[in-house]
Short mmCIF file of all heavy atoms in Angstrom, two decimals:
data_model
loop_
_atom_site.label_atom_id
_atom_site.label_comp_id
_atom_site.label_asym_id
_atom_site.label_seq_id
_atom_site.Cartn_x
_atom_site.Cartn_y
_atom_site.Cartn_z
N LEU A 22 -8.18 29.89 3.19
CA LEU A 22 -9.19 29.23 2.37
C LEU A 22 -10.58 29.50 2.94
O LEU A 22 -11.52 29.80 2.20
CB LEU A 22 -8.91 27.73 2.33
CG LEU A 22 -9.85 26.89 1.46
CD1 LEU A 22 -9.77 27.35 0.01
CD2 LEU A 22 -9.50 25.43 1.58
N GLY A 23 -10.74 29.44 4.26
CA GLY A 23 -12.03 29.72 4.89
C GLY A 23 -12.45 31.16 4.70
O GLY A 23 -13.61 31.47 4.48
N THR A 24 -11.48 32.07 4.75
CA THR A 24 -11.77 33.48 4.55
C THR A 24 -12.22 33.74 3.11
O THR A 24 -13.15 34.52 2.88
CB THR A 24 -10.53 34.34 4.87
OG1 THR A 24 -10.07 33.99 6.16
CG2 THR A 24 -10.84 35.81 4.81
N ARG A 25 -11.60 33.04 2.18
CA ARG A 25 -11.99 33.20 0.78
C ARG A 25 -13.41 32.70 0.55
O ARG A 25 -14.19 33.32 -0.18
CB ARG A 25 -11.02 32.42 -0.12
CG ARG A 25 -9.69 33.09 -0.26
CD ARG A 25 -8.83 32.33 -1.23
NE ARG A 25 -7.46 32.77 -1.14
CZ ARG A 25 -6.43 32.03 -1.47
NH1 ARG A 25 -6.61 30.82 -1.93
NH2 ARG A 25 -5.21 32.50 -1.35
N ARG A 26 -13.75 31.58 1.17
CA ARG A 26 -15.12 31.05 1.02
C ARG A 26 -16.14 32.01 1.61
O ARG A 26 -17.18 32.27 1.04
CB ARG A 26 -15.24 29.69 1.72
CG ARG A 26 -14.66 28.58 0.92
CD ARG A 26 -14.98 27.26 1.57
NE ARG A 26 -14.39 26.18 0.81
CZ ARG A 26 -14.32 24.95 1.24
NH1 ARG A 26 -14.78 24.63 2.43
NH2 ARG A 26 -13.77 24.01 0.49
N ALA A 27 -15.85 32.52 2.79
CA ALA A 27 -16.76 33.47 3.44
C ALA A 27 -16.92 34.72 2.59
O ALA A 27 -18.03 35.25 2.43
CB ALA A 27 -16.26 33.81 4.83
N THR A 28 -15.83 35.18 2.03
CA THR A 28 -15.89 36.37 1.17
C THR A 28 -16.70 36.07 -0.08
O THR A 28 -17.50 36.91 -0.53
CB THR A 28 -14.46 36.81 0.78
OG1 THR A 28 -13.69 36.97 1.96
CG2 THR A 28 -14.47 38.08 0.00
N GLY A 29 -16.54 34.87 -0.63
CA GLY A 29 -17.32 34.47 -1.81
C GLY A 29 -18.81 34.43 -1.52
O GLY A 29 -19.63 34.93 -2.29
N TRP A 30 -19.17 33.82 -0.38
CA TRP A 30 -20.59 33.76 0.00
C TRP A 30 -21.15 35.15 0.25
O TRP A 30 -22.28 35.45 -0.12
CB TRP A 30 -20.78 32.89 1.24
CG TRP A 30 -20.72 31.42 0.94
CD1 TRP A 30 -19.73 30.56 1.28
CD2 TRP A 30 -21.68 30.66 0.22
NE1 TRP A 30 -20.01 29.32 0.82
CE2 TRP A 30 -21.22 29.34 0.15
CE3 TRP A 30 -22.89 30.97 -0.40
CZ2 TRP A 30 -21.92 28.32 -0.49
CZ3 TRP A 30 -23.59 29.95 -1.03
CH2 TRP A 30 -23.10 28.66 -1.08
N LEU A 31 -20.39 35.99 0.87
CA LEU A 31 -20.83 37.37 1.13
C LEU A 31 -21.03 38.11 -0.18
O LEU A 31 -22.01 38.84 -0.35
CB LEU A 31 -19.79 38.09 2.01
CG LEU A 31 -20.14 39.51 2.42
CD1 LEU A 31 -21.41 39.51 3.27
CD2 LEU A 31 -18.99 40.15 3.17
N PHE A 32 -20.13 37.90 -1.13
CA PHE A 32 -20.26 38.54 -2.44
C PHE A 32 -21.53 38.07 -3.14
O PHE A 32 -22.27 38.87 -3.71
CB PHE A 32 -19.01 38.25 -3.29
CG PHE A 32 -19.11 38.80 -4.67
CD1 PHE A 32 -18.98 40.17 -4.89
CD2 PHE A 32 -19.33 37.98 -5.77
CE1 PHE A 32 -19.07 40.70 -6.16
CE2 PHE A 32 -19.43 38.49 -7.03
CZ PHE A 32 -19.30 39.86 -7.25
N LEU A 33 -21.81 36.77 -3.11
CA LEU A 33 -23.02 36.24 -3.75
C LEU A 33 -24.28 36.78 -3.09
O LEU A 33 -25.27 37.11 -3.76
CB LEU A 33 -23.01 34.72 -3.71
CG LEU A 33 -22.05 34.03 -4.68
CD1 LEU A 33 -22.07 32.53 -4.45
CD2 LEU A 33 -22.42 34.35 -6.11
N LEU A 34 -24.25 36.90 -1.76
CA LEU A 34 -25.40 37.44 -1.04
C LEU A 34 -25.66 38.89 -1.42
O LEU A 34 -26.79 39.29 -1.68
CB LEU A 34 -25.17 37.30 0.47
CG LEU A 34 -26.30 37.83 1.36
CD1 LEU A 34 -27.55 36.98 1.17
CD2 LEU A 34 -25.86 37.84 2.81
N LEU A 35 -24.59 39.68 -1.48
CA LEU A 35 -24.74 41.08 -1.87
C LEU A 35 -25.22 41.21 -3.32
O LEU A 35 -26.04 42.08 -3.63
CB LEU A 35 -23.42 41.83 -1.67
CG LEU A 35 -23.00 42.06 -0.22
CD1 LEU A 35 -21.61 42.68 -0.17
CD2 LEU A 35 -24.01 42.95 0.50
N LEU A 36 -24.74 40.36 -4.19
CA LEU A 36 -25.17 40.38 -5.59
C LEU A 36 -26.66 40.04 -5.71
O LEU A 36 -27.40 40.69 -6.45
CB LEU A 36 -24.33 39.40 -6.41
CG LEU A 36 -24.58 39.39 -7.91
CD1 LEU A 36 -24.20 40.74 -8.51
CD2 LEU A 36 -23.79 38.28 -8.56
N ALA A 37 -27.12 39.04 -4.94
CA ALA A 37 -28.53 38.66 -4.96
C ALA A 37 -29.40 39.79 -4.44
O ALA A 37 -30.47 40.09 -4.99
CB ALA A 37 -28.74 37.39 -4.14
N LEU A 38 -28.96 40.45 -3.36
CA LEU A 38 -29.73 41.58 -2.82
C LEU A 38 -29.79 42.73 -3.81
O LEU A 38 -30.81 43.41 -3.92
CB LEU A 38 -29.13 42.04 -1.49
CG LEU A 38 -29.35 41.10 -0.30
CD1 LEU A 38 -28.60 41.61 0.92
CD2 LEU A 38 -30.83 40.97 0.00
N GLU A 39 -28.72 42.98 -4.53
CA GLU A 39 -28.69 44.04 -5.53
C GLU A 39 -29.67 43.76 -6.66
O GLU A 39 -30.41 44.64 -7.10
CB GLU A 39 -27.27 44.19 -6.09
CG GLU A 39 -27.13 45.27 -7.13
CD GLU A 39 -27.36 46.67 -6.59
OE1 GLU A 39 -27.12 46.89 -5.40
OE2 GLU A 39 -27.82 47.52 -7.38
N CYS A 40 -29.70 42.51 -7.11
CA CYS A 40 -30.63 42.12 -8.18
C CYS A 40 -32.08 42.25 -7.70
O CYS A 40 -32.94 42.71 -8.44
CB CYS A 40 -30.35 40.70 -8.64
SG CYS A 40 -28.80 40.53 -9.53
N LEU A 41 -32.32 41.84 -6.48
CA LEU A 41 -33.66 41.93 -5.92
C LEU A 41 -34.11 43.38 -5.79
O LEU A 41 -35.24 43.73 -6.12
CB LEU A 41 -33.70 41.23 -4.56
CG LEU A 41 -35.07 41.10 -3.90
CD1 LEU A 41 -35.98 40.23 -4.74
CD2 LEU A 41 -34.93 40.53 -2.51
N GLY A 42 -33.22 44.24 -5.35
CA GLY A 42 -33.55 45.67 -5.21
C GLY A 42 -33.84 46.31 -6.55
O GLY A 42 -34.77 47.11 -6.68
N SER A 43 -33.06 45.98 -7.57
CA SER A 43 -33.31 46.57 -8.89
C SER A 43 -34.59 46.03 -9.49
O SER A 43 -35.27 46.73 -10.24
CB SER A 43 -32.12 46.32 -9.81
OG SER A 43 -31.96 44.93 -10.03
N ALA A 44 -34.96 44.79 -9.18
CA ALA A 44 -36.22 44.24 -9.69
C ALA A 44 -37.41 44.98 -9.11
O ALA A 44 -38.39 45.26 -9.81
CB ALA A 44 -36.30 42.75 -9.37
N PHE A 45 -37.35 45.32 -7.81
CA PHE A 45 -38.44 46.08 -7.21
C PHE A 45 -38.50 47.50 -7.77
O PHE A 45 -39.57 48.07 -7.90
CB PHE A 45 -38.29 46.14 -5.68
CG PHE A 45 -38.75 44.89 -5.00
CD1 PHE A 45 -37.91 44.23 -4.11
CD2 PHE A 45 -40.01 44.37 -5.23
CE1 PHE A 45 -38.33 43.08 -3.46
CE2 PHE A 45 -40.43 43.21 -4.59
CZ PHE A 45 -39.60 42.57 -3.71
N ALA A 46 -37.37 48.07 -8.10
CA ALA A 46 -37.33 49.43 -8.63
C ALA A 46 -37.93 49.49 -10.03
O ALA A 46 -38.54 50.49 -10.41
CB ALA A 46 -35.89 49.94 -8.66
N LEU A 47 -37.81 48.42 -10.82
CA LEU A 47 -38.34 48.40 -12.18
C LEU A 47 -39.82 48.08 -12.25
O LEU A 47 -40.44 48.25 -13.29
CB LEU A 47 -37.56 47.39 -13.03
CG LEU A 47 -36.09 47.72 -13.29
CD1 LEU A 47 -35.43 46.58 -14.04
CD2 LEU A 47 -35.97 49.01 -14.07
N SER A 48 -40.40 47.61 -11.18
CA SER A 48 -41.80 47.22 -11.17
C SER A 48 -42.69 48.45 -11.28
O SER A 48 -42.60 49.39 -10.49
CB SER A 48 -42.13 46.47 -9.90
OG SER A 48 -43.50 46.16 -9.86
N THR A 49 -43.56 48.48 -12.29
CA THR A 49 -44.50 49.59 -12.48
C THR A 49 -45.94 49.12 -12.37
O THR A 49 -46.85 49.82 -12.76
CB THR A 49 -44.29 50.24 -13.86
OG1 THR A 49 -44.47 49.24 -14.87
CG2 THR A 49 -42.91 50.85 -13.96
N CYS A 50 -46.15 47.90 -11.90
CA CYS A 50 -47.50 47.36 -11.79
C CYS A 50 -48.27 48.09 -10.70
O CYS A 50 -47.74 48.40 -9.65
CB CYS A 50 -47.46 45.87 -11.47
SG CYS A 50 -46.74 44.89 -12.78
N LYS A 51 -49.53 48.34 -10.99
CA LYS A 51 -50.42 48.95 -10.01
C LYS A 51 -51.59 48.02 -9.80
O LYS A 51 -51.93 47.21 -10.66
CB LYS A 51 -50.91 50.30 -10.52
CG LYS A 51 -49.80 51.32 -10.70
CD LYS A 51 -50.35 52.61 -11.22
CE LYS A 51 -49.23 53.60 -11.45
NZ LYS A 51 -49.69 54.83 -12.04
N THR A 52 -52.26 48.16 -8.68
CA THR A 52 -53.44 47.34 -8.44
C THR A 52 -54.56 47.81 -9.34
O THR A 52 -54.68 48.99 -9.66
CB THR A 52 -53.87 47.44 -6.97
OG1 THR A 52 -54.14 48.80 -6.66
CG2 THR A 52 -52.81 46.88 -6.05
N VAL A 53 -55.40 46.88 -9.76
CA VAL A 53 -56.49 47.17 -10.69
C VAL A 53 -57.79 47.25 -9.91
O VAL A 53 -58.13 46.34 -9.15
CB VAL A 53 -56.58 46.08 -11.77
CG1 VAL A 53 -57.75 46.34 -12.70
CG2 VAL A 53 -55.29 46.01 -12.56
#
Side-chain angles (χ1 to χ4, degrees):
L22 182 61
T24 307
R25 285 184 194 155
R26 281 188 181 168
T28 306
W30 283 109
L31 183 62
F32 177 74
L33 286 176
L34 180 66
L35 290 174
L36 185 64
L38 288 175
E39 180 66 28
C40 290
L41 186 63
S43 63
F45 281 127
L47 294 175
S48 177
T49 58
C50 295
K51 296 179 182 176
T52 58
V53 177

